[in-house]
Amino acid sequence: MVRTPLTPEERERGERLGRLLREARGGRSMAEIAADAGISAETLRKIETGRAPTPAFFTVAALAGALGLSMDDLVGRCAEAAPTERAAA
């Protein structure tokens, strides 16, 4: 099965999600958050760096829970960043 290439907007959204998760992690280690979320530290690293721009919903939900974020808050923060980033481009 051939995967359709991601659009620039999808890549941008993945990078934005990664930044938000990294900021929410603060001083806690990747290994700690990944373990709390039930994923590997490598998966978290890929999400935070934008190399995995379309993580599964349940992965994002698990990370939000481990970081103490509500899904509504996470979606809202991603949406708030979008117009600013487009204006800067």
Side-chain angles (χ1 to χ4, degrees):
M1 183 170 157
V2 177
R3 190 170 205 180
T4 305
L6 298 173
T7 66
E9 292 80 18
E10 289 169 326
R11 284 194 301 274
E12 183 181 305
R13 186 174 52 236
E15 291 169 2
R16 194 166 44 250
L17 173 64
R19 278 193 303 275
L20 290 170
L21 293 173
R22 194 170 42 255
E23 289 170 9
R25 182 166 56 84
R28 293 179 283 176
S29 73
M30 257 187 207
E32 175 189 347
I33 297 304
D36 288 349
I39 63 171
S40 71
E42 182 60 22
T43 296
L44 178 55
R45 180 178 289 101
K46 287 178 180 178
I47 294 169
E48 284 190 358
T49 60
R51 289 187 0 224
T54 58
F57 172 81
F58 293 106
T59 300
V60 175
L63 285 168
L67 293 166
L69 299 171
S70 73
M71 289 296 285
D72 288 337
D73 182 43
L74 192 56
V75 168
R77 290 178 66 194
C78 280
E80 288 171 7
T84 304
E85 288 179 6
R86 284 197 186 100

